[in-house]
Amino acid sequence: KKHLLFGGMVVVKLAERYGTPLYVTDENKLRNNFKRYKNAFETTNIDTDIYYAVKANGILALLKILASEGSGSDVFSAGELVLTKLAGIPAEKILFNGNSKSDDDLRTAVESGVRVSVDSVDELRALSAVANELGKEVEIAIRVNPDVSPDVHAKIATGLKESKFGIPFHDVIPVCEEAEKLPNVLLAGLHCHIGSQILDITVFGEATEKMMGLVERVYERGMKLKFVDLGGGLGIGYRQEEKATAPTPKDLAEMILPVFENKVQELGISFKLVLEPGRSVVGTSTILLSRVNAVKRANKNFVAIDAGFNLLIRPVMYGAYHEVVVANKVNERASELYTVVGNVCEAGDIMAKDRILPKVERGDLVAILDTGAYGFSMSSQYNGRPRCAEVLVCNGKADLIRSRESVEDLIRNQEIPARLT
């Protein structure tokens, strides 16, 4: 029988060695995905920085790899900021993003010397007060809600006018003018992010046009910028038939660079372009291995595996599609219709509906593909299930990069009041 190979490794052997469920990341695939961005945007005179979106997958080993490739980072919390700095990404290449930052978040950002993407007037004023109190200056970007509508799931569209993110497009200039007057904040950039898993990239062109129009208005009023951050959101091909047609970083560059360059030349100015890819860097780098606990012939043929939505919530939360492979039977003919379900006590814990697979039996190994983005990073301990291990593979070698949790980890921070003992 032929077995699935991933990153030069027979995944059945990885499952035997580390147990299941198990996330497996291919280091070379990760590096190559990042390099595709670097290469696509090196074709221009525009100085471009790639800030990886840490929320997609924040494991330290992965961040270390991206730091070694020259990545910056887009962080959404003090925790992500700490991870990023531990990985060796310099403060000047970090943007602290987020729509609801506490005073503690703002204090951490100012003390760390990173730039802050300001999401509201309240936050702008609070940040100024915190920086003033600390006696430090902080560079900021204004997060713009550009009112651009990508054709994606409603829960991952972030640039609609009804979205919780950013300052409404028509209010941005007055907010920039207020930022110029406030103490200890320095206006350095404009920032937007329109959504995630975008496959029709014309919306990036629309967003770039709107943002560069704002840039012109900023400069007309005598203000200057160091960068414009156009966010991330480039989709990947989760379905086999999408893989050949999914847009690439090169396609993205060809969509946004002409608009960006034309406006820069027209205005006779110079500043950086920043991008924040997440999914398109890590999504295809990782698979989730899971053992079949039972095959049940009922209203449907159910394949029950040892991973549920506590480890991969995307299919349940977004109705997302992931290809599924029976890893120990890759050369056997796909002949039966199955629905792959998890081990969580919820009727909705369905990982893959109605897939034609080889005959599946208890003990088989299932690989769920393209789980590098929003897999472990959105995981939980629901149903009292300790979370799984993660392994990094490179040129036929495997390294453990996250240990499997134990039951002790479930109770580590719990306290029983003395009166109950």
Side-chain angles (χ1 to χ4, degrees):
K1 287 180 181 178
K2 281 195 177 171
H3 292 172
L4 180 67
L5 284 172
F6 188 73
M9 302 288 288
V10 178
V11 301
V12 170
K13 290 182 178 172
L14 290 173
E16 287 166 358
R17 182 172 162 194
Y18 296 101
T20 58
L22 182 70
Y23 273 108
V24 183
T25 296
D26 179 350
E27 180 177 333
N28 289 330
K29 195 174 275 281
L30 176 66
R31 288 187 187 276
N32 290 336
N33 286 349
F34 187 80
K35 283 172 179 162
R36 287 165 82 205
Y37 268 97
K38 270 176 46 178
N39 295 341
F41 285 85
E42 274 173 359
T43 60
T44 173
N45 297 322
I46 302 294
D47 190 8
T48 306
D49 276 346
I50 312 297
Y51 286 13
Y52 167 67
V54 177
K55 64 181 179 291
N57 187 333
I59 190 165
L60 263 174
L62 180 153
L63 295 175
K64 276 269 192 195
I65 290 164
L66 293 174
S68 75
E69 293 290 345
S71 179
S73 69
D74 159 55
V75 303
F76 215 83
S77 69
E80 287 186 353
L81 175 56
V82 170
L83 286 168
T84 292
K85 296 194 92 172
L86 281 173
I89 293 174
E92 62 270 17
K93 291 179 81 171
I94 299 172
L95 183 67
F96 197 130
N97 195 355
N99 68 297
S100 181
K101 303 182 193 78
S102 67
D103 281 355
D104 282 346
D105 289 334
L106 298 176
R107 201 167 285 111
T108 300
V110 174
E111 287 171 342
S112 298
V114 300
R115 287 172 171 160
V116 177
S117 176
V118 170
D119 197 87
S120 65
V121 175
D122 271 358
E123 186 184 297
L124 173 64
R125 292 168 185 164
L127 179 60
S128 171
V130 166
N132 198 31
E133 175 198 319
L134 293 170
K136 294 192 171 191
E137 290 192 322
V138 58
E139 288 195 346
I140 65 164
I142 302 296
R143 170 84 181 244
V144 179
N145 183 326
D147 189 17
V148 173
S149 304
D151 180 19
V152 298
H153 193 287
K155 289 179 184 171
I156 50 176
T158 56
L160 309 174
K161 63 172 176 280
E162 60 267 29
S163 167
K164 72 173 186 173
F165 296 103
I167 289 163
F169 187 79
H170 299 293
D171 297 339
V172 169
I173 295 300
V175 175
C176 288
E177 289 172 334
E178 179 169 350
E180 287 278 278
K181 293 180 187 132
L182 283 169
N184 297 72
V185 291
L186 303 170
L187 179 65
L190 295 178
H191 172 213
C192 77
H193 182 87
I194 57 174
S196 191
Q197 187 48 20
I198 297 169
L199 296 173
D200 175 6
I201 59 170
T202 55
V203 288
F204 288 112
E206 185 188 340
T208 307
E209 293 271 9
K210 281 193 156 185
M211 290 296 284
M212 296 312 279
L214 269 182
V215 167
E216 183 166 9
R217 289 165 61 198
V218 164
Y219 273 77
E220 280 170 358
R221 285 159 178 77
M223 298 177 274
K224 290 191 167 71
L225 302 173
K226 293 185 178 180
F227 69 99
V228 170
D229 183 337
L230 294 177
L234 190 67
I236 63 172
Y238 282 103
R239 295 173 184 269
Q240 200 56 48
E241 61 270 22
E242 289 171 346
K243 290 191 182 295
T245 58
T248 65
K250 185 170 180 286
D251 296 328
L252 181 66
E254 287 169 359
M255 176 62 62
I256 65 179
L257 281 175
V259 180
F260 198 95
E261 282 185 296
N262 286 345
K263 187 57 75 176
V264 163
Q265 285 167 2
E266 185 188 311
L267 298 175
I269 55 178
S270 173
F271 48 74
K272 275 193 177 193
L273 167 62
V274 175
L275 298 168
E276 298 167 3
R279 185 192 313 272
S280 51
V281 173
V282 290
T284 61
S285 72
T286 303
I287 61 175
L288 175 59
L289 299 180
S290 187
R291 190 71 68 187
V292 175
N293 284 332
V295 179
K296 181 163 55 177
R297 299 188 183 277
N299 176 259
K300 293 189 166 200
N301 289 338
F302 290 111
V303 172
I305 60 175
D306 64 2
F309 75 65
N310 60 310
L311 290 181
L312 181 66
I313 203 170
R314 296 190 69 256
V316 176
M317 188 169 178
Y318 305 121
Y321 184 100
H322 287 265
E323 294 286 353
V324 168
V325 174
V326 184
N328 56 310
K329 295 179 174 177
V330 291
N331 64 330
E332 292 190 20
R333 190 173 65 86
S335 56
E336 295 197 44
L337 192 68
Y338 295 100
T339 287
V340 181
V341 297
N343 56 357
V344 170
C345 185
E346 297 277 350
D349 185 29
I350 296 168
M351 309 303 273
K353 282 182 185 172
D354 298 333
R355 305 298 176 86
I356 298 178
L357 302 171
K359 187 184 178 193
V360 182
E361 299 161 286
R362 176 177 165 83
D364 282 343
L365 187 68
V366 166
I368 304 174
L369 307 188
D370 303 321
T371 56
Y374 310 103
F376 197 102
S377 68
M378 293 179 80
S379 66
S380 74
Q381 296 170 333
Y382 184 48
N383 275 184
R385 294 194 180 277
R387 287 173 294 190
C388 68
E390 297 194 82
V391 168
L392 183 70
V393 295
C394 184
N395 302 329
K397 290 184 180 171
D399 291 289
L400 188 67
I401 54 173
R402 190 195 302 270
S403 299
R404 188 174 302 281
E405 288 181 340
S406 65
V407 174
E408 285 72 29
D409 292 312
L410 299 180
I411 58 173
R412 187 174 307 285
N413 297 317
Q414 297 189 41
E415 303 285 347
I416 299 173
R419 63 185 176 78
L420 298 179
T421 58

PDB file of all heavy atoms in Angstrom, residues 172-191:
ATOM      1  N   VAL A 172     -11.829  59.821   8.094  1.00  0.00           N
ATOM      2  CA  VAL A 172     -10.388  59.575   8.315  1.00  0.00           C
ATOM      3  C   VAL A 172      -9.575  60.873   8.363  1.00  0.00           C
ATOM      4  O   VAL A 172      -8.713  61.042   9.236  1.00  0.00           O
ATOM      5  CB  VAL A 172      -9.837  58.614   7.233  1.00  0.00           C
ATOM      6  CG1 VAL A 172      -8.305  58.565   7.276  1.00  0.00           C
ATOM      7  CG2 VAL A 172     -10.405  57.222   7.433  1.00  0.00           C
ATOM      8  N   ILE A 173      -9.833  61.802   7.457  1.00  0.00           N
ATOM      9  CA  ILE A 173      -9.009  63.022   7.398  1.00  0.00           C
ATOM     10  C   ILE A 173      -9.116  63.836   8.694  1.00  0.00           C
ATOM     11  O   ILE A 173      -8.092  64.223   9.274  1.00  0.00           O
ATOM     12  CB  ILE A 173      -9.353  63.876   6.150  1.00  0.00           C
ATOM     13  CG1 ILE A 173      -8.991  63.104   4.872  1.00  0.00           C
ATOM     14  CG2 ILE A 173      -8.613  65.214   6.196  1.00  0.00           C
ATOM     15  CD1 ILE A 173      -7.536  62.702   4.712  1.00  0.00           C
ATOM     16  N   PRO A 174     -10.333  64.081   9.229  1.00  0.00           N
ATOM     17  CA  PRO A 174     -10.404  64.795  10.515  1.00  0.00           C
ATOM     18  C   PRO A 174      -9.668  64.060  11.646  1.00  0.00           C
ATOM     19  O   PRO A 174      -9.065  64.703  12.515  1.00  0.00           O
ATOM     20  CB  PRO A 174     -11.908  64.874  10.807  1.00  0.00           C
ATOM     21  CG  PRO A 174     -12.578  64.691   9.502  1.00  0.00           C
ATOM     22  CD  PRO A 174     -11.679  63.867   8.652  1.00  0.00           C
ATOM     23  N   VAL A 175      -9.704  62.722  11.628  1.00  0.00           N
ATOM     24  CA  VAL A 175      -8.993  61.959  12.666  1.00  0.00           C
ATOM     25  C   VAL A 175      -7.481  62.120  12.501  1.00  0.00           C
ATOM     26  O   VAL A 175      -6.750  62.282  13.481  1.00  0.00           O
ATOM     27  CB  VAL A 175      -9.414  60.467  12.642  1.00  0.00           C
ATOM     28  CG1 VAL A 175      -8.583  59.653  13.631  1.00  0.00           C
ATOM     29  CG2 VAL A 175     -10.895  60.329  12.982  1.00  0.00           C
ATOM     30  N   CYS A 176      -7.010  62.119  11.266  1.00  0.00           N
ATOM     31  CA  CYS A 176      -5.579  62.367  11.010  1.00  0.00           C
ATOM     32  C   CYS A 176      -5.176  63.753  11.531  1.00  0.00           C
ATOM     33  O   CYS A 176      -4.110  63.911  12.136  1.00  0.00           O
ATOM     34  CB  CYS A 176      -5.271  62.289   9.515  1.00  0.00           C
ATOM     35  SG  CYS A 176      -5.312  60.622   8.827  1.00  0.00           S
ATOM     36  N   GLU A 177      -6.052  64.732  11.287  1.00  0.00           N
ATOM     37  CA  GLU A 177      -5.748  66.095  11.735  1.00  0.00           C
ATOM     38  C   GLU A 177      -5.720  66.180  13.263  1.00  0.00           C
ATOM     39  O   GLU A 177      -4.873  66.873  13.840  1.00  0.00           O
ATOM     40  CB  GLU A 177      -6.767  67.072  11.135  1.00  0.00           C
ATOM     41  CG  GLU A 177      -6.553  67.249   9.635  1.00  0.00           C
ATOM     42  CD  GLU A 177      -7.640  68.064   8.938  1.00  0.00           C
ATOM     43  OE1 GLU A 177      -8.788  68.110   9.421  1.00  0.00           O
ATOM     44  OE2 GLU A 177      -7.316  68.660   7.891  1.00  0.00           O
ATOM     45  N   GLU A 178      -6.625  65.446  13.932  1.00  0.00           N
ATOM     46  CA  GLU A 178      -6.586  65.427  15.397  1.00  0.00           C
ATOM     47  C   GLU A 178      -5.306  64.749  15.887  1.00  0.00           C
ATOM     48  O   GLU A 178      -4.669  65.204  16.850  1.00  0.00           O
ATOM     49  CB  GLU A 178      -7.811  64.709  15.973  1.00  0.00           C
ATOM     50  CG  GLU A 178      -7.758  64.670  17.494  1.00  0.00           C
ATOM     51  CD  GLU A 178      -9.042  64.228  18.176  1.00  0.00           C
ATOM     52  OE1 GLU A 178     -10.091  64.115  17.513  1.00  0.00           O
ATOM     53  OE2 GLU A 178      -8.990  64.011  19.399  1.00  0.00           O
ATOM     54  N   ALA A 179      -4.903  63.662  15.212  1.00  0.00           N
ATOM     55  CA  ALA A 179      -3.675  62.945  15.600  1.00  0.00           C
ATOM     56  C   ALA A 179      -2.459  63.864  15.514  1.00  0.00           C
ATOM     57  O   ALA A 179      -1.557  63.800  16.361  1.00  0.00           O
ATOM     58  CB  ALA A 179      -3.477  61.728  14.705  1.00  0.00           C
ATOM     59  N   GLU A 180      -2.441  64.728  14.507  1.00  0.00           N
ATOM     60  CA  GLU A 180      -1.314  65.657  14.337  1.00  0.00           C
ATOM     61  C   GLU A 180      -1.194  66.627  15.519  1.00  0.00           C
ATOM     62  O   GLU A 180      -0.107  67.090  15.850  1.00  0.00           O
ATOM     63  CB  GLU A 180      -1.495  66.455  13.034  1.00  0.00           C
ATOM     64  CG  GLU A 180      -1.252  65.647  11.779  1.00  0.00           C
ATOM     65  CD  GLU A 180       0.222  65.529  11.430  1.00  0.00           C
ATOM     66  OE1 GLU A 180       0.783  66.457  10.826  1.00  0.00           O
ATOM     67  OE2 GLU A 180       0.827  64.487  11.779  1.00  0.00           O
ATOM     68  N   LYS A 181      -2.335  66.926  16.146  1.00  0.00           N
ATOM     69  CA  LYS A 181      -2.335  67.922  17.229  1.00  0.00           C
ATOM     70  C   LYS A 181      -2.088  67.294  18.603  1.00  0.00           C
ATOM     71  O   LYS A 181      -1.683  67.965  19.532  1.00  0.00           O
ATOM     72  CB  LYS A 181      -3.688  68.647  17.255  1.00  0.00           C
ATOM     73  CG  LYS A 181      -3.940  69.513  16.030  1.00  0.00           C
ATOM     74  CD  LYS A 181      -5.297  70.200  16.122  1.00  0.00           C
ATOM     75  CE  LYS A 181      -5.604  70.927  14.820  1.00  0.00           C
ATOM     76  NZ  LYS A 181      -6.948  70.641  14.327  1.00  0.00           N
ATOM     77  N   LEU A 182      -2.381  66.000  18.740  1.00  0.00           N
ATOM     78  CA  LEU A 182      -2.283  65.361  20.058  1.00  0.00           C
ATOM     79  C   LEU A 182      -0.825  65.120  20.451  1.00  0.00           C
ATOM     80  O   LEU A 182       0.012  64.832  19.590  1.00  0.00           O
ATOM     81  CB  LEU A 182      -3.034  64.015  20.048  1.00  0.00           C
ATOM     82  CG  LEU A 182      -4.560  64.102  20.141  1.00  0.00           C
ATOM     83  CD1 LEU A 182      -5.176  62.735  19.850  1.00  0.00           C
ATOM     84  CD2 LEU A 182      -5.013  64.583  21.512  1.00  0.00           C
ATOM     85  N   PRO A 183      -0.523  65.200  21.750  1.00  0.00           N
ATOM     86  CA  PRO A 183       0.866  64.981  22.183  1.00  0.00           C
ATOM     87  C   PRO A 183       1.273  63.511  22.127  1.00  0.00           C
ATOM     88  O   PRO A 183       0.443  62.620  22.336  1.00  0.00           O
ATOM     89  CB  PRO A 183       0.858  65.472  23.645  1.00  0.00           C
ATOM     90  CG  PRO A 183      -0.557  65.335  24.098  1.00  0.00           C
ATOM     91  CD  PRO A 183      -1.400  65.577  22.878  1.00  0.00           C
ATOM     92  N   ASN A 184       2.541  63.280  21.837  1.00  0.00           N
ATOM     93  CA  ASN A 184       3.206  61.970  21.949  1.00  0.00           C
ATOM     94  C   ASN A 184       2.738  60.912  20.954  1.00  0.00           C
ATOM     95  O   ASN A 184       3.149  59.756  21.043  1.00  0.00           O
ATOM     96  CB  ASN A 184       3.098  61.420  23.380  1.00  0.00           C
ATOM     97  CG  ASN A 184       3.800  62.319  24.388  1.00  0.00           C
ATOM     98  OD1 ASN A 184       3.296  63.407  24.689  1.00  0.00           O
ATOM     99  ND2 ASN A 184       4.942  61.901  24.891  1.00  0.00           N
ATOM    100  N   VAL A 185       1.863  61.274  19.997  1.00  0.00           N
ATOM    101  CA  VAL A 185       1.556  60.353  18.901  1.00  0.00           C
ATOM    102  C   VAL A 185       2.006  60.982  17.590  1.00  0.00           C
ATOM    103  O   VAL A 185       1.812  62.183  17.372  1.00  0.00           O
ATOM    104  CB  VAL A 185       0.043  59.975  18.832  1.00  0.00           C
ATOM    105  CG1 VAL A 185      -0.357  59.111  20.004  1.00  0.00           C
ATOM    106  CG2 VAL A 185      -0.853  61.186  18.729  1.00  0.00           C
ATOM    107  N   LEU A 186       2.630  60.172  16.746  1.00  0.00           N
ATOM    108  CA  LEU A 186       3.155  60.657  15.466  1.00  0.00           C
ATOM    109  C   LEU A 186       2.457  59.904  14.341  1.00  0.00           C
ATOM    110  O   LEU A 186       2.593  58.674  14.229  1.00  0.00           O
ATOM    111  CB  LEU A 186       4.663  60.413  15.387  1.00  0.00           C
ATOM    112  CG  LEU A 186       5.521  61.025  16.496  1.00  0.00           C
ATOM    113  CD1 LEU A 186       6.944  60.505  16.423  1.00  0.00           C
ATOM    114  CD2 LEU A 186       5.494  62.553  16.392  1.00  0.00           C
ATOM    115  N   LEU A 187       1.692  60.612  13.524  1.00  0.00           N
ATOM    116  CA  LEU A 187       1.013  59.978  12.390  1.00  0.00           C
ATOM    117  C   LEU A 187       2.063  59.486  11.394  1.00  0.00           C
ATOM    118  O   LEU A 187       2.845  60.267  10.871  1.00  0.00           O
ATOM    119  CB  LEU A 187       0.068  60.978  11.711  1.00  0.00           C
ATOM    120  CG  LEU A 187      -0.684  60.449  10.485  1.00  0.00           C
ATOM    121  CD1 LEU A 187      -1.648  59.326  10.873  1.00  0.00           C
ATOM    122  CD2 LEU A 187      -1.435  61.578   9.781  1.00  0.00           C
ATOM    123  N   ALA A 188       2.069  58.157  11.151  1.00  0.00           N
ATOM    124  CA  ALA A 188       3.086  57.582  10.262  1.00  0.00           C
ATOM    125  C   ALA A 188       2.477  56.817   9.087  1.00  0.00           C
ATOM    126  O   ALA A 188       3.143  56.598   8.083  1.00  0.00           O
ATOM    127  CB  ALA A 188       4.004  56.647  11.049  1.00  0.00           C
ATOM    128  N   GLY A 189       1.203  56.392   9.220  1.00  0.00           N
ATOM    129  CA  GLY A 189       0.662  55.578   8.142  1.00  0.00           C
ATOM    130  C   GLY A 189      -0.844  55.519   8.097  1.00  0.00           C
ATOM    131  O   GLY A 189      -1.540  55.969   9.006  1.00  0.00           O
ATOM    132  N   LEU A 190      -1.339  54.963   7.003  1.00  0.00           N
ATOM    133  CA  LEU A 190      -2.743  54.596   6.859  1.00  0.00           C
ATOM    134  C   LEU A 190      -2.791  53.083   6.672  1.00  0.00           C
ATOM    135  O   LEU A 190      -1.903  52.500   6.044  1.00  0.00           O
ATOM    136  CB  LEU A 190      -3.378  55.286   5.645  1.00  0.00           C
ATOM    137  CG  LEU A 190      -3.486  56.802   5.686  1.00  0.00           C
ATOM    138  CD1 LEU A 190      -4.100  57.318   4.379  1.00  0.00           C
ATOM    139  CD2 LEU A 190      -4.321  57.278   6.874  1.00  0.00           C
ATOM    140  N   HIS A 191      -3.836  52.455   7.204  1.00  0.00           N
ATOM    141  CA  HIS A 191      -3.895  50.998   7.262  1.00  0.00           C
ATOM    142  C   HIS A 191      -5.316  50.551   6.933  1.00  0.00           C
ATOM    143  O   HIS A 191      -6.285  51.152   7.391  1.00  0.00           O
ATOM    144  CB  HIS A 191      -3.513  50.581   8.697  1.00  0.00           C
ATOM    145  CG  HIS A 191      -3.686  49.130   8.999  1.00  0.00           C
ATOM    146  ND1 HIS A 191      -4.045  48.671  10.255  1.00  0.00           N
ATOM    147  CD2 HIS A 191      -3.555  48.024   8.227  1.00  0.00           C
ATOM    148  CE1 HIS A 191      -4.113  47.346  10.241  1.00  0.00           C
ATOM    149  NE2 HIS A 191      -3.828  46.934   9.017  1.00  0.00           N
TER     150      HIS A 191
END
